[in-house]
Amino acid sequence: IEEGQGNLSSATQRLEQVLRQAPAFAEGHGNLANMYMRLGQYTRAEAALPKAMALRPDWPQVHNNLANALKLQNRIADAEAHY
């Protein structure tokens, strides 16, 4: 809801709180990484995505998102491994 209201930073903080209480919520880690990407926090997105991949290894979008986060950090060779 907060994200839809344009308060992405606040929504990100709330999702971080949720994940501290429910660390096995794969989609939450994936969503958190997407929020970090929208905030331009690519290293934080990169850190959140492996958590989602470990919980849901069959989720191809997470690999693509990790590749994008790496690419935006000019780590092209690392990114290619995830596309």
Side-chain angles (χ1 to χ4, degrees):
I1 293 172
E2 290 181 44
E3 181 182 359
Q5 295 171 349
N7 195 345
L8 184 58
S9 182
S10 178
T12 301
Q13 291 173 351
R14 291 186 59 100
L15 184 53
E16 289 169 339
Q17 292 172 347
V18 167
L19 290 171
R20 281 192 286 277
Q21 299 296 317
F25 180 32
E27 290 80 2
H29 291 287
N31 289 337
L32 182 62
N34 288 336
M35 295 165 101
Y36 287 145
M37 294 279 286
R38 290 181 57 192
L39 290 167
Q41 298 175 358
Y42 307 124
T43 57
R44 292 183 85 181
E46 178 188 353
L49 287 163
K51 295 172 187 171
M53 290 188 321
L55 293 165
R56 287 228 9 233
D58 62 332
W59 193 7
Q61 185 62 41
V62 176
H63 288 274
N64 188 63
N65 290 349
L66 179 55
N68 289 334
L70 294 166
K71 180 181 165 189
L72 289 166
Q73 296 175 72
N74 293 317
R75 294 172 51 196
I76 306 304
D78 292 332
E80 288 175 350
H82 294 280
Y83 278 122

